[in-house]
Amino acid sequence: MRSLSPLNVIVACSVFCVSSITGTSLFPPYNAIQHPLQAKSSEYSSASAPLNQWLEDEEKIATSKVLANVAPGGSEVPDAAPGSVIASPSKQDPDYYYQWTRDSAICVFTLLDTMDSNPESAFSPRILRFVDDYAKLQHRLQHQPNPSGTFDDLSGVGEPKFHHDAEAFNGPWGRPQHDGPALRAIALIHYIQYVNRTQPSLWFTKEGRLWFETLYNATLPANSTIKADLEYVSHCWNQPGFDLWEETQGLHFYTAMVQHRALRDGMLIAAAFDDPGAKTWYEYQADQISNMLSSRFWDHAKGHLVETLDTDRSGLDCGILLAALHTTGRSETYMSNSQTSPFKPWSQEVLSTLVAFVEDQKARHPINEGKGKSYLPIPVSGSVCPSRNGVAVGRYPEDEYNGYHAIPHGGNPWFICTNAVAEIFFRVAEHLLLTRDLSIIQSESPFWLMLAEETASETFGIQNHAQALIGSHQHLNKTIGALLDAGDAYLEVVGRHAGADGAMSEQFHRTTGYQAGARDLTWSYASFLSAVKTRKAVMSMWRDDRSIDIA
């Protein structure tokens, strides 16, 4: 084994590492951690003050709500196995009191990101301890015989969900689901990065090597957690499975994207652990997935990406946006090879898909006509662009699930999906600030035409709005402002339909606006935290950038 340092993939806490190896806890007890996340107030002067205040308050609430649903120490899940992420405390109508491989990994992304952005937070010791328990639990879950199969041939690795106590769920379900192992590999690689970056000396100790090798060991048949997931992904990526919504069987854009990301990250880990054969194998399979993504998921006739191949559906799906977000690391948090994502949030294919998806959802849900309840005392539109409104968006046009059962035309907007649209706008702004790559702004692109048309009257005040976006760097500042405004419009929608106490369920009703489905959905809070942290990163870079006039 050699040092991971050349990979620039190293991330975590010295106190955590030592305690997790020796078994001695150096953390304060859970009941001593009572303080909320200390989030700074936004300085984005053009956003409405009520929105900024709500975002600041809701960030604290959402972090607390996520931690309430993880074990040990989660107030909502006292009987869950240590390391579990429970999807929702709801135990009936609907029963979401389970741990999904997918949701758990996404939650780990979010919590590590939360700690990265505020390492001095009182939440950080709790997060580190939880992630250590999560890593240990995944090894146990992989080895748990289940309806998908067993660990001996890795078939059981594709099992999508388990009971709260880590026992197998033996009821009927949409299985296997191939995205879960990929997401778990990404999450645990991120965790290794975190540990190695913060305490690189651990790599050179006997205890440290033993700890690392529980996560990745070159030995075959695979027995370490990450290695098992990567072997599963590399051998199963071209086999049909159920989509991230657990409803449709086939080959899916979201699944292929996270599989590609897992194998690209796996190449780096394999190289670090002296596993050259695996590195070559993972690279070859990742290239094959990339070829499939590039050649099969863009529908030229429709002008957008499709989520699932060879179905009667339109192909529009929030999963496409989530795929772009979950496979392209944020600049200051993910240090892995994220730039290899075939479709990034700012790619023309993703942005064109976003426009088609939003247009569909805008007309599909009556709540977008301005009706329904609102807890957030702010205007429907942003302060800069009065004509621009956010849209409440759901999963896909044909959705019939209303949070309890399926009925014709019953699909509702989801918090996860509305947060995802907001984050896409923020990711585009971040990319422009980091790269000054104005080539992504194309006057004939549906996305940039939409942005220009909806912001022109207040922001640009010129005739050829789309062409102005392509202009010299003097327009970059206005473009960033327009993107922030657009993202804020979607967060306003989230704010209007979150509970007065900040609670977010799975959905909110398409007509009344009231929350529906499983209460306090962990993924809803995680998606909100991801969007808000990207927004804060953009505003920080924009404020500190001295090459742009932001007066």
Side-chain angles (χ1 to χ4, degrees), residues 361-439:
Q361 297 292 292
K362 181 179 180 180
R364 192 167 297 278
H365 302 301
I367 193 68
N368 290 320
E369 298 174 2
K371 302 175 182 177
K373 70 95 194 163
S374 172
Y375 284 126
L376 186 60
I378 61 177
V380 172
S381 61
S383 59
V384 170
C385 309
S387 64
R388 190 251 318 120
N389 297 325
V391 174
V393 300
R395 298 187 299 174
Y396 54 89
E398 301 85 359
D399 195 4
E400 296 185 344
Y401 178 58
N402 67 359
Y404 311 98
H405 49 265
I407 60 173
H409 311 293
N412 291 318
W414 284 46
F415 285 104
I416 293 168
C417 300
T418 308
N419 286 325
V421 176
E423 187 172 359
I424 291 287
F425 283 104
F426 300 145
R427 289 286 195 97
V428 176
E430 182 181 49
H431 177 72
L432 283 173
L433 282 169
L434 286 171
T435 66
R436 302 297 194 272
D437 181 15
L438 295 176
S439 66

Side-chain angles (χ1 to χ4, degrees), residues 201-215:
S201 61
L202 184 68
W203 180 262
F204 301 101
T205 67
K206 180 179 179 181
E207 294 83 359
R209 289 196 301 272
L210 289 173
W211 180 85
F212 280 112
E213 288 184 351
T214 63
L215 293 174

Side-chain angles (χ1 to χ4, degrees), residues 67-218:
L67 292 176
N69 289 350
V70 306
S75 60
E76 295 277 15
V77 293
D79 55 349
S84 299
V85 179
I86 303 304
S88 163
S90 178
K91 296 182 179 180
Q92 58 182 0
D93 196 26
D95 182 4
Y96 277 35
Y97 203 70
Y98 297 92
Q99 50 184 310
W100 272 263
T101 305
R102 172 192 312 103
D103 300 38
S104 299
I106 293 168
C107 176
V108 170
F109 297 162
T110 301
L111 290 176
L112 287 173
D113 191 19
T114 295
M115 187 173 56
D116 250 348
S117 65
N118 191 358
E120 303 303 319
S121 166
F123 286 134
S124 292
R126 167 82 190 280
I127 293 172
L128 284 168
R129 187 171 177 179
F130 157 70
V131 176
D132 187 36
D133 286 331
Y134 166 82
K136 295 172 182 175
L137 180 63
Q138 300 317 299
H139 186 78
R140 174 183 169 187
L141 294 179
Q142 284 182 337
H143 286 75
Q144 183 78 267
N146 58 66
S148 292
T150 67
F151 187 78
D152 292 341
D153 61 0
L154 297 184
S155 57
V157 173
E159 180 67 9
K161 78 172 187 177
F162 295 83
H163 284 287
H164 67 281
D165 58 1
E167 293 299 313
F169 172 75
N170 293 313
W173 208 253
R175 53 171 67 94
Q177 295 178 26
H178 299 315
D179 59 333
L183 288 162
R184 178 167 54 199
I186 296 167
L188 290 175
I189 290 171
H190 188 188
Y191 179 44
I192 284 182
Q193 295 166 349
Y194 198 86
V195 172
N196 200 19
R197 177 167 68 88
T198 308
Q199 195 179 357
S201 61
L202 184 68
W203 180 262
F204 301 101
T205 67
K206 180 179 179 181
E207 294 83 359
R209 289 196 301 272
L210 289 173
W211 180 85
F212 280 112
E213 288 184 351
T214 63
L215 293 174
Y216 191 97
N217 188 304

